[in-house]
Amino acid sequence: MRTGRAADPRPGARLPAAVRDSGGGVLTGTVTAVADAVAADVLLVVADTGLYAVPAASAGLTPQVPLDLTRPLATVTLDAAAGTRLADPATARAAVAGALLSGRACSPPSSWGSPSGA
């Protein structure tokens, strides 16, 4: 199963207000520049109430043209999409931070952005 992730890439960033849970895992919002979203079966989405798994078929996916053509990106739009909560906000924040640290360890320094990680 392929997964895409919709989260703010900056270390220490707060959970995004862009995706909101209106109750019971019903998610609404838009996240841009989501890597591999179009090829994903399930999207991992960070919302205001935690981390959710959302079937990609229930999201609107709009491909974007990235600078690096080997890294396909998309805008993910959720309009009352049903998500399964995987983690509370604190656990989601820690999971995203760990994933970003692991990803940074496996990627060349030129892809990291500024030295501050912003």
Side-chain angles (χ1 to χ4, degrees):
M1 177 181 312
R2 295 179 151 192
T3 61
R5 50 189 165 79
D8 188 332
R10 296 171 294 169
R14 294 186 338 199
L15 294 181
V19 177
R20 300 246 181 225
D21 176 8
S22 60
V26 177
L27 306 175
T28 301
T30 300
V31 181
T32 60
V34 179
D36 297 316
V38 172
D41 298 317
V42 175
L43 300 169
L44 298 179
V45 178
V46 179
D48 58 339
T49 57
L51 179 66
Y52 291 83
V54 177
S58 67
L61 303 174
T62 305
Q64 295 176 297
V65 179
L67 292 175
D68 178 353
L69 297 178
T70 66
R71 299 279 305 177
L73 301 175
T75 296
V76 175
T77 303
L78 304 170
D79 184 14
T84 301
R85 187 171 176 203
L86 304 175
D88 61 66
T91 305
R93 196 174 297 108
V96 169
L100 291 171
L101 183 59
S102 296
R104 186 173 265 194
C106 297
S107 63
S110 62
S111 69
W112 295 355
S114 72
S116 67

